[in-house]
Amino acid sequence: MLRVEPGEGGYVVRIRVLVVDDHRIFAESLAAALAAEPDVDVFAAGSGPAALRCLERAAGDGRRYDVMLVDADLGGGLPTTRPAVPVHEGDEEGLVDGISLVAGVRSAQPAVRTVVLAEKDDPRRAALALQAGASGWVAKDCSLSRLLTVIRGVLRDETHLPPALLTGVLKELTAARRHRTESERLVESLTPREREVLRCMVAGLGRKAVAERLFLSPHTVRTHMQNVLGKLGVHSTLAAVALARRAGVGPAELTGDVVERGGQLA
């Protein structure tokens, strides 16, 4: 939520920005440049888990971030030098890549606008970022004025892409939509019981756990799983799960203890 605070000559609408980048010098420089703007409050995080903690704390304090700037290559390596501005460290929770972080934030805090910062133009990854919920894709070497234009633009629900990427991104999104449509058609060919089994597979349940959940025998579940693979035209559980996700099939809700995970189809 944007904040209106007293300032010189009137009131200033303040923008809270979170920079997420594990390249310390870049994070330090960008945070310092943005902090020089009279209407921007900027903080930085050095990893995906650290960024999520910052977002959660800010939301709990009633001071949500407005925009998150995230490195497209987040997670490529841990930092080794400490910057002058406070950049929260990654820890034992592990690394989170940039596009996965965008998707997680979009799900947990949809009011936060995200912009991906990239070393180079990549239509496929830019399309994936937009599908994950990003509002923009910007080159890391763009000017500060350009970046500020994007930050203010996404707060007006604009989507920002470099002009050179537009055609490639549109092709990628069109192809993804075509694949999704085909995946949806295949999933629709399943029986209701087979769809239940597929949702259990998406949730990561193995054959024994699916049998206990659906009150079926392991042999029956094996038959259903084989039918699912055959109808979807794939040869492995992982491929079936990937296709199901493209079709928008979510995981079964796990309300009890999971007896077995990651079982393989024999």
Side-chain angles (χ1 to χ4, degrees):
M1 179 183 296
L2 295 174
R3 282 150 296 284
V4 179
E5 298 178 0
E8 294 184 8
Y11 288 87
V12 176
V13 177
R14 303 202 65 79
I15 304 170
R16 284 172 58 83
V17 176
L18 179 63
V19 176
V20 188
D21 198 306
D22 51 15
H23 295 81
R24 317 300 285 185
I25 295 176
F26 177 82
E28 175 185 7
S29 301
L30 180 57
L34 290 172
E37 294 296 311
D39 61 340
V40 176
D41 294 328
V42 61
F43 302 85
S47 72
L52 293 173
R53 289 195 299 275
C54 287
L55 291 166
E56 289 170 2
R57 283 198 298 268
D61 294 339
R63 293 174 59 81
R64 292 181 182 273
Y65 288 97
D66 302 304
V67 178
M68 180 178 73
L69 306 177
V70 57
D71 177 20
D73 298 316
L74 185 69
L78 290 176
T80 57
T81 59
R82 185 172 301 281
V85 295
V87 177
H88 299 274
E89 298 282 354
D91 59 16
E92 69 279 357
E93 294 178 38
L95 299 172
V96 177
D97 69 87
I99 293 178
S100 295
L101 179 60
V102 169
V105 171
R106 180 64 174 176
S107 175
Q109 297 193 32
V112 178
R113 300 293 185 264
T114 57
V115 176
V116 177
L117 306 176
E119 292 280 0
K120 59 182 180 180
D121 287 345
D122 186 330
R124 181 176 178 277
R125 296 186 70 202
L128 289 173
L130 293 182
Q131 289 175 311
S135 297
W137 176 281
V138 181
K140 277 191 169 185
D141 60 359
C142 75
S143 67
L144 180 61
S145 61
R146 167 62 182 163
L147 182 57
L148 288 167
T149 295
V150 172
I151 289 172
R152 296 184 172 110
V154 298
L155 289 173
R156 296 190 295 268
D157 291 327
E158 298 173 359
T159 299
H160 284 258
L161 285 171
L165 273 184
L166 286 176
T167 299
V169 168
L170 286 175
K171 287 181 179 178
E172 292 288 341
L173 292 176
T174 300
R177 188 176 299 112
R178 185 168 58 249
H179 292 155
R180 184 167 60 250
T181 301
E182 174 65 13
S183 299
E184 290 170 349
R185 184 186 66 77
L186 291 171
V187 169
E188 287 173 358
S189 71
L190 302 179
T191 66
R193 176 62 84 184
E194 289 166 351
R195 291 183 197 178
E196 281 186 283
V197 170
L198 179 60
R199 292 185 64 226
C200 290
M201 294 163 67
V202 173
L205 300 182
R207 190 191 313 152
K208 182 179 178 182
V210 175
E212 293 188 2
R213 176 183 176 82
L214 300 181
F215 303 102
L216 299 171
S217 72
H219 176 75
T220 299
V221 170
R222 177 178 178 176
T223 299
H224 283 314
M225 286 183 165
Q226 289 175 330
N227 290 340
V228 167
L229 297 185
K231 290 184 178 181
L232 297 183
V234 296
H235 302 288
S236 70
T237 298
L238 288 177
V241 169
L243 188 150
R245 289 191 178 279
R246 286 199 301 272
V249 176
E253 294 184 6
L254 305 179
T255 55
D257 293 334
V258 177
V259 179
E260 175 193 4
R261 276 190 174 272
Q264 299 297 315
L265 183 61

